[in-house]
């Protein structure tokens, strides 16, 4: 059995557990740090042990599951991720019988919708792997404070950006959808990171073709209007070279109205719904364009859709890039551009 040190925790804070051979039952879990009551910690440890026995934890890739704990006596969302220190990972590949410890970090939140933050939390753990020394001597000074700030650092940025921008959030949403470069000035480091994370979370990266995204970024950078400037020198950010449309303004109201509850998981869900609607509109427009190659009435439907969807300016740019190599579709897009300009 492995007797290596690990860590485990929850209730909105850090934790971890060591496992030498996660695919078998021959491992032990050693508590490194937690802020859970003893009974709940034992239940969480049991949950993680079962997952390890089944080989259900993959190196560096977190999972989200619902966990029932006696305290606070309801199911909570649990993000858990197995990893090994970077320097020890290299050593382990050189030795067949490596005894390098592995760790499982658990974060518990009051919502089972934490899966929407899985990628952010994966990056958070990656940063822990590469930047922190998990030896006992650095546990109190480095590891614990880093882990305990997970909620503020990984979950709350979207909420903070909504509260900072208020009605001006529409311009930020428009920049994210249209791949407009954003330059932040006179902001502290946390605000800069928050805005950057919000833009990444609100963009359609990974949802549209990679070639399309690259071409759009190039096209937006080459356009006459320059980067959108966000000046944070005052209490309210001042925006320059900013654009918006009715679609982004409507969704801005959804965010601002949601601010009353102050639930960061709700904000992220609204953001996911915003992107889902944008993708649905793009797919509908593509379908209309395919029909319009043969049918003049469908061309009129395309035009009416662009006019009424509230985001015609952005959708037209996206389909123009995607259909650049398709002559018939490109002709349809050219006609639509002329109609929209008029």
């Amino acid at each position: 059995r492995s007797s290596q040190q690990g860590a485990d925790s929850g209730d909105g804070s850090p934790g971890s557990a060591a496992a030498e051979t996660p695919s078998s039952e021959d491992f032990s879990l050693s508590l490194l740090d937690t802020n859970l009551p003893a009974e709940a910690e034992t239940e969480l440890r049991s949950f993680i042990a079962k997952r390890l026995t089944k080989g259900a934890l993959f190196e560096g890739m977190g999972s989200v599951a619902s966990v029932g704990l006696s305290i606070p006596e309801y199911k909570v969302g649990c993000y858990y991720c197995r990893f090994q220190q970077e320097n020890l990972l290299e050593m382990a590949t050189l030795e067949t019988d490596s005894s390098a410890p592995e760790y499982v970090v658990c974060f518990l939140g009051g919502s089972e919708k934490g899966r929407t933050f899985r990628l952010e939390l994966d990056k958070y753990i990656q940063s822990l792997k590469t930047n922190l020394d998990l030896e006992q001597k650095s546990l109190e000074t480095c590891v614990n404070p880093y882990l305990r700030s997970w909620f503020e650092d990984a979950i709350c940025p979207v909420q903070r950006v909504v509260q900072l921008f208020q009605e001006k959030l529409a311009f930020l949403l428009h920049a994210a959808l249209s791949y407009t470069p954003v330059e932040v000035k006179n902001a502290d480091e946390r605000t800069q990171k928050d805005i950057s994370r919000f833009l990444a979370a609100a963009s359609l990266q990974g949802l549209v073709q990679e070639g399309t995204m690259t071409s759009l970024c190039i096209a937006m950078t080459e356009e006459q209007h320059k980067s959108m400037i966000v000046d944070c020198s005052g209490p309210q950010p001042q925006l320059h070279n900013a654009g918006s449309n009715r679609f982004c303004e409507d969704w801005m109201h959804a965010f601002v109205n949601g601010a009353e509850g102050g639930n960061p998981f709700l904000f992220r869900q609204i953001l996911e719904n915003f992107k889902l609607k944008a993708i649905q509109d793009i797919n509908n427009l593509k379908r209309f364009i395919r029909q319009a190659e043969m049918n003049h009435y469908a061309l009129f439907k395309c035009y009416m859709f662009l006019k009424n969807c509230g985001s015609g300016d952005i959708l037209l740019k996206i389909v123009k890039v995607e259909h650049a190599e398709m002559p018939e579709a490109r002709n349809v897009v050219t006609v639509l551009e002329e109609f929209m300009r008029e």
Side-chain angles (χ1 to χ4, degrees):
R1 291 173 63 81
S2 166
S3 61
Q4 309 301 325
Q5 280 291 308
D8 199 2
S9 117
D11 192 23
S13 71
S16 208
E20 186 178 14
T21 52
S23 58
S24 77
E25 294 184 21
D26 188 25
F27 63 85
S28 65
L29 300 179
S30 304
L31 179 66
L32 201 59
D33 182 44
T34 185
N35 66 349
L36 275 179
E39 187 180 353
E41 186 274 318
T42 303
E43 292 164 345
L44 180 62
R45 187 191 295 237
S46 172
F47 168 79
I48 293 298
K50 286 176 185 173
R51 295 288 167 132
L52 285 166
T53 303
K54 292 176 182 176
L57 275 76
F58 302 102
E59 167 73 29
M61 185 188 300
S63 302
V64 177
S66 178
V67 184
L69 300 177
S70 56
I71 303 171
E73 296 183 349
Y74 68 96
K75 288 193 174 184
V76 294
C78 174
Y79 167 91
Y80 54 95
C81 183
R82 176 173 71 89
F83 72 96
Q84 195 172 29
Q85 280 178 263
E86 289 287 317
N87 56 339
L88 294 176
L89 203 55
E90 293 173 15
M91 290 165 55
T93 57
L94 300 174
E95 303 174 23
T96 52
D97 187 25
S98 172
S99 60
E102 292 184 339
Y103 301 85
V104 177
V105 172
C106 304
F107 296 133
L108 298 187
S111 169
E112 293 176 37
K113 294 178 180 176
R115 68 189 74 251
T116 54
F117 286 98
R118 191 180 64 77
L119 293 177
E120 282 90 341
L121 291 171
D122 280 352
K123 287 178 184 174
Y124 199 70
I125 298 302
Q126 186 63 34
S127 181
L128 177 71
K129 281 174 64 175
T130 53
N131 298 330
L132 295 178
D133 181 4
L134 282 169
E135 291 178 12
Q136 288 292 342
K137 61 184 179 185
S138 70
L139 182 65
E140 291 297 328
T141 55
C142 298
V143 180
N144 289 7
Y146 181 84
L147 287 173
R148 289 182 187 280
S149 63
W150 74 274
F151 195 79
E152 280 293 314
D153 290 351
I155 307 298
C156 293
V158 172
Q159 181 180 22
R160 287 196 293 264
V161 168
V162 172
Q163 291 169 342
L164 177 65
F165 279 79
Q166 297 292 320
E167 283 77 11
K168 293 180 181 178
L169 190 73
F171 300 108
L172 211 57
L173 291 170
H174 188 270
L177 270 191
S178 61
Y179 301 91
T180 302
V182 175
E183 190 179 335
V184 181
K185 294 183 174 180
N186 303 315
D188 57 65
E189 186 181 357
R190 188 173 85 162
T191 302
Q192 278 197 321
K193 282 185 178 177
D194 284 353
I195 294 172
S196 175
R197 286 175 179 173
F198 182 91
L199 289 167
S203 79
L204 301 182
Q205 186 170 5
L207 299 176
V208 297
Q209 297 172 19
E210 200 166 318
T212 300
M213 196 177 64
T214 305
S215 301
L216 273 169
C217 290
I218 294 169
M220 293 307 295
T221 306
E222 289 175 349
E223 277 194 14
Q224 289 302 312
H225 73 270
K226 299 172 185 175
S227 303
M228 183 175 114
I229 309 294
V230 179
D231 186 352
C232 296
S233 53
Q236 270 270 306
Q238 299 300 311
L239 309 180
H240 308 282
N241 302 323
S244 186
N245 58 30
R246 195 172 75 249
F247 180 80
C248 293
E249 285 164 10
D250 289 345
W251 279 96
M252 172 272 293
H253 289 299
F255 279 101
V256 172
N257 293 339
E260 296 170 9
N263 182 346
F265 293 99
L266 172 64
F267 286 118
R268 187 51 192 268
Q269 193 58 55
I270 295 172
L271 200 55
E272 293 303 312
N273 294 343
F274 162 78
K275 293 196 292 185
L276 180 63
K277 184 65 173 77
I279 287 293
Q280 286 173 344
D281 286 350
I282 290 169
N283 291 336
N284 282 332
L285 181 58
K286 286 182 187 175
R287 184 163 49 85
F288 289 145
I289 288 174
R290 282 197 300 272
Q291 294 169 359
E293 292 173 17
M294 305 289 185
N295 184 320
H296 285 295
Y297 177 67
L299 179 62
F300 179 70
K301 276 172 68 178
C302 272
Y303 167 64
M304 292 307 294
F305 177 78
L306 282 170
K307 196 176 170 187
N308 296 327
C309 72
S311 193
D313 57 331
I314 294 174
L315 298 188
L316 207 50
K317 280 176 184 155
I318 292 173
V319 294
K320 183 178 181 179
V321 168
E322 286 201 357
H323 295 92
E325 305 299 322
M326 302 158 68
E328 292 87 355
R330 193 174 66 229
N331 290 339
V332 172
V333 172
T334 303
V335 172
L336 289 171
E337 279 187 311
E338 290 173 8
F339 271 97
M340 293 297 282
R341 271 199 298 269
E342 291 173 12

